[in-house]
Amino acid sequence: TKTRCPSGALVPAYIHAVPNGKRHQAAAARPGPKMPSDQWTEQETQLLKRAVRAVPSDLEKNDRWRQVAVLVGGGRGKKECYEYWKALNKTKAAPVIRRPPSPKASPEVRRPKAQTDRVRARKQREEVLVVDIDDSPQRDEGKEDDYSEDAFEEEDISQQLERSAIGAATWRRDVGPGATLVHRRADALDSYDERDDERDSPRRDDVVRHSTYDDSDDEGRRDIKRRPRGSERSVSKDEAVSLRELLLGDAKRKPPSSWLKQGFRFCDNLEGCGYGLIQKQGGPCGVLAAVNAEAASELVRYDDWTSPSTERRESALAKALARIVRRCCTSSKALICVPGDKPKVERSSTFTPDAVTECCRVWTVPEDEIETLFSYFIDDFMDNGCLLVLYSCLLSRTIEGVRSDGDESTSLLDRHGYANQCAVNLLLTGRATSNVFDGVKKMDDLVLRGVSERSDVGFLTLLEAYQHCAVGRNFKEPRSRVWVVYSESHYSLLVGDPSRELDLHYWDGLANQDEVIRLSIDEDYYEGREVPNVNDSSLLIPPLDLVVRSLYPNAKVDWNGAEPIL
């Protein structure tokens, strides 16, 4: 019995790891006798060729051939795969495989139980799945690997698939359907060195391209996303503890469940509000509103911004996340946390696991690769990425940098689990300052830091209407007419209509909004008239009207038939 992995390749379902490191065959699967190592079937040969080209050549040699062996399956060890590949290169040229067979043409088969939802979602855009070899703290990094059969244990293929669901290295096809398959000759391999890996991997020069791209045979094919350039590792214990301390003040406290389950999903059930992100539960509204504001500022460039396509929304989200993290960078590289499946930090007296922090993978990428990374992992961030985006900002800004930004040392979440002004300012400006005024203010020996320059998206608050604070022009007059709104202990969104200068669209991702809310502003209505007193409770002034008046002091707000929110 064989099962098909997301690459479309058939993998034996009966491979299991046993304590003594030797492989056996499950009786229930009734496999045939194991083939001697010197006899390879044509199918195994093709799997080997695909696997060699799929696994990145810059991996450590033992890890690389271990991954190749897992992809080949059938009980083949890393030494067998290497020796047979060397023999193939001595006798004939190795072809550049254009693409694996389409999974659609294969009969329906049972898939491993450990294949997660994220793997199923990603299989449409992956061509070869390469497992991520364990780098947990329990592994002896100082021990030299050898090629004896008992030198390592091969894991059950379901465990390999599960662990590779997030953060696995994947091969993305670099040629279009108009490319020509060519053969190249490889020199004889005499020793196991780096030159072997260079010959194993296809080079761009090996492919002959047509001058025009013909997509006539490309029906149903999704655009293949490029894997970002950069390095990947597990989160360290020190990082996990520091992130928790910045977030909650104590690494033994776990983030609220609403933060652990929140991703970035757009509204699909209300026409005219397709630019809005959905919030599942109260808590992470600060991060969600900041990301939504950046995404909306990208979408308003298009005529269909209120009902954009799925592809356009995903692209806008990737750009938004990239801009937010890029602003936080203190060097030419960013540290970005990506969802993972396997915990790398154990429970201790100083740290309590939460199934997100200790599992995340940390990527180090150049600034020009940040958007590529978010685009590559966009499905994962849409599922469960809210907390990790905040973590990415903290690591890219550096832990000490965030601590020095604020006026005092406080956690970024208050006791109710809401993001405070430092967290929101970090997302909107790249600095975790505590205030919303412009520049810096000094009070005796105390230095208070605000917003140093004009922001890309703005910030407005109901607190200004009650004279508890004064928002500066850097936030009130952003480069894009999009504002994060803080009102009644909740963050929401105002988006300026690109075709009507004095119309604002309001979106609250937590309110189960059932109608489009478009506010029309008469900015001079109260000029020469008495402006309603904000402290007169009998007037029932909608809080959003008061927020708008912080932009237009003499304005009257028309809700255009929508029910005012009181």
Side-chain angles (χ1 to χ4, degrees):
T1 301
K2 294 189 177 183
T3 185
R4 190 175 298 277
C5 72
S7 64
L10 290 174
V11 179
Y14 54 82
I15 301 176
H16 296 278
V18 292
N20 64 3
K22 296 183 178 180
R23 295 170 294 279
H24 72 285
Q25 299 172 340
R30 298 195 301 276
K34 181 181 175 182
M35 179 174 294
S37 60
D38 60 343
Q39 297 181 16
W40 284 67
T41 65
E42 180 62 26
Q43 183 183 38
E44 286 182 313
T45 301
Q46 293 301 319
L47 285 173
L48 176 64
K49 292 176 181 178
R50 293 171 189 164
V52 168
R53 286 158 179 77
V55 181
S57 61
D58 56 355
L59 292 179
E60 193 272 332
K61 303 307 177 296
N62 284 286
D63 283 351
R64 182 168 191 250
W65 285 99
R66 186 181 293 116
Q67 291 189 20
V68 169
V70 171
L71 287 179
V72 172
R76 297 291 184 184
K78 60 181 179 180
K79 182 179 179 181
E80 291 178 89
C81 293
Y82 170 68
E83 294 292 344
Y84 185 56
W85 177 250
K86 185 165 67 172
L88 284 177
N89 279 276
K90 287 181 179 179
T91 58
K92 62 180 180 179
V96 178
I97 303 301
R98 179 182 172 187
R99 66 181 301 177
S102 171
K104 296 182 180 179
S106 304
E108 183 177 356
V109 294
R110 187 177 61 183
R111 302 187 183 280
K113 293 182 180 180
Q115 188 172 359
T116 64
D117 291 339
R118 283 191 288 271
V119 175
R120 295 191 191 98
R122 187 182 293 166
K123 65 179 179 170
Q124 298 297 328
R125 61 183 173 89
E126 287 187 348
E127 299 201 357
V128 176
L129 182 65
V130 181
V131 296
D132 181 21
I133 298 303
D134 188 10
D135 58 352
S136 61
Q138 289 76 19
R139 182 184 176 192
D140 186 1
E141 298 289 351
K143 184 177 179 180
E144 177 106 31
D145 287 339
D146 60 64
Y147 286 113
S148 66
E149 283 296 321
D150 295 330
F152 65 95
E153 298 177 4
E154 286 200 354
E155 292 182 310
D156 179 27
I157 190 65
S158 64
Q159 296 174 356
Q160 295 282 2
L161 285 170
E162 180 181 18
R163 135 209 248 163
S164 60
I166 299 297
T170 54
W171 173 59
R172 305 294 174 184
R173 180 160 56 88
D174 192 43
V175 297
T180 302
L181 177 65
V182 297
H183 288 260
R184 56 187 169 84
R185 182 168 183 78
D187 297 329
L189 305 178
D190 296 326
S191 61
Y192 184 63
D193 58 23
E194 293 183 1
R195 289 175 296 177
D196 298 341
D197 291 327
E198 293 174 359
R199 282 189 287 268
D200 292 344
S201 301
R203 298 186 297 269
R204 189 177 300 273
D205 295 338
D206 294 329
V207 178
V208 178
R209 295 181 180 274
H210 288 183
S211 58
T212 59
Y213 178 79
D214 179 13
D215 61 356
S216 59
D217 62 343
D218 208 23
E219 183 177 357
R221 172 181 171 268
R222 290 189 60 182
D223 184 32
I224 302 300
K225 297 178 180 178
R226 178 174 67 82
R227 189 172 188 267
R229 292 182 292 107
S231 59
E232 178 190 9
R233 60 176 173 81
S234 303
V235 66
S236 69
K237 180 179 179 180
D238 289 343
E239 286 173 330
V241 170
S242 296
L243 289 171
R244 278 282 197 78
E245 289 176 346
L246 275 177
L247 195 70
L248 299 163
D250 185 355
K252 291 182 289 186
R253 289 180 57 196
K254 294 197 298 185
S257 61
S258 59
W259 282 83
L260 301 175
K261 300 175 182 178
Q262 181 66 54
F264 301 105
R265 291 286 177 185
F266 286 92
C267 173
D268 288 321
N269 57 7
L270 181 58
E271 186 177 357
C273 292
Y275 63 91
L277 292 173
I278 298 296
Q279 184 178 344
K280 298 178 181 178
Q281 296 176 310
C285 53
V287 174
L288 213 64
V291 172
N292 205 161
E294 288 286 355
S297 70
E298 176 68 23
L299 290 171
V300 294
R301 298 168 50 208
Y302 304 96
D303 292 338
D304 63 346
W305 71 276
T306 59
S307 301
S309 65
T310 299
E311 292 75 13
R312 182 163 290 169
R313 292 194 298 192
E314 291 184 3
S315 174
L317 178 59
K319 292 178 184 295
L321 296 175
R323 280 199 296 266
I324 288 173
V325 172
R326 190 179 294 114
R327 282 196 294 261
C328 299
C329 292
T330 57
S331 67
S332 60
K333 293 185 177 181
L335 297 179
I336 301 177
C337 297
V338 174
D341 282 345
K342 193 170 183 178
K344 303 296 182 180
V345 181
E346 297 179 350
R347 182 186 297 271
S348 67
S349 59
T350 59
F351 181 82
T352 303
D354 58 31
V356 173
T357 306
E358 70 275 9
C359 297
C360 72
R361 309 284 298 173
V362 180
W363 278 73
T364 302
V365 296
E367 284 190 357
D368 59 356
E369 287 290 297
I370 298 177
E371 183 180 336
T372 301
L373 184 142
F374 280 116
S375 179
Y376 186 82
F377 290 106
I378 195 65
D379 292 337
D380 302 319
F381 281 96
M382 292 178 75
D383 286 341
N384 185 26
C386 186
L387 179 60
L388 295 185
V389 167
L390 184 54
Y391 280 170
S392 301
C393 292
L394 297 177
L395 292 181
S396 295
R397 175 62 183 142
T398 73
I399 302 299
E400 290 305 319
V402 172
R403 287 173 175 161
S404 64
D405 284 339
D407 297 337
E408 56 184 351
S409 178
T410 59
S411 59
L412 298 181
L413 301 190
D414 64 19
R415 60 191 180 92
H416 300 293
Y418 301 141
N420 63 15
Q421 194 65 50
C422 293
V424 174
N425 281 7
L426 177 66
L427 296 166
L428 296 181
T429 70
R431 299 294 179 267
T433 55
S434 307
N435 305 287
V436 294
F437 52 71
D438 293 343
V440 175
K441 293 185 178 181
K442 294 183 178 181
M443 298 178 61
D444 297 328
D445 295 332
L446 183 62
V447 177
L448 304 177
R449 297 181 181 87
V451 183
S452 61
E453 60 182 15
R454 188 183 185 191
S455 59
D456 291 331
V457 296
F459 178 83
L460 302 172
T461 175
L462 179 63
L463 298 177
E464 185 170 13
Y466 295 102
Q467 299 181 352
H468 294 318
C469 69
V471 180
R473 294 183 62 183
N474 286 335
F475 263 160
K476 283 187 178 179
E477 301 175 5
R479 296 182 180 89
S480 300
R481 295 183 62 246
V482 181
W483 295 267
V484 172
V485 173
Y486 181 69
S487 174
E488 307 289 342
S489 300
H490 181 58
Y491 294 94
S492 51
L493 188 68
L494 275 175
V495 183
D497 193 308
S499 58
R500 298 185 180 92
E501 184 178 354
L502 293 179
D503 277 11
L504 301 173
H505 292 250
Y506 178 71
W507 173 254
D508 183 352
L510 186 63
N512 293 322
Q513 194 168 313
D514 57 1
E515 61 181 341
V516 175
I517 299 178
R518 180 173 58 86
L519 309 177
S520 294
I521 313 301
D522 185 348
E523 61 177 330
D524 297 323
Y525 181 84
Y526 285 110
E527 187 173 353
R529 305 180 188 181
E530 183 180 358
V531 179
N533 187 350
V534 298
N535 295 311
D536 189 346
S537 58
S538 65
L539 296 179
L540 297 179
I541 304 174
L544 201 55
D545 286 25
L546 302 179
V547 171
V548 171
R549 282 188 201 141
S550 67
L551 276 180
Y552 307 102
N554 295 317
K556 179 181 179 181
V557 179
D558 183 358
W559 286 68
N560 292 305
E563 183 178 355
I565 301 173
L566 299 175

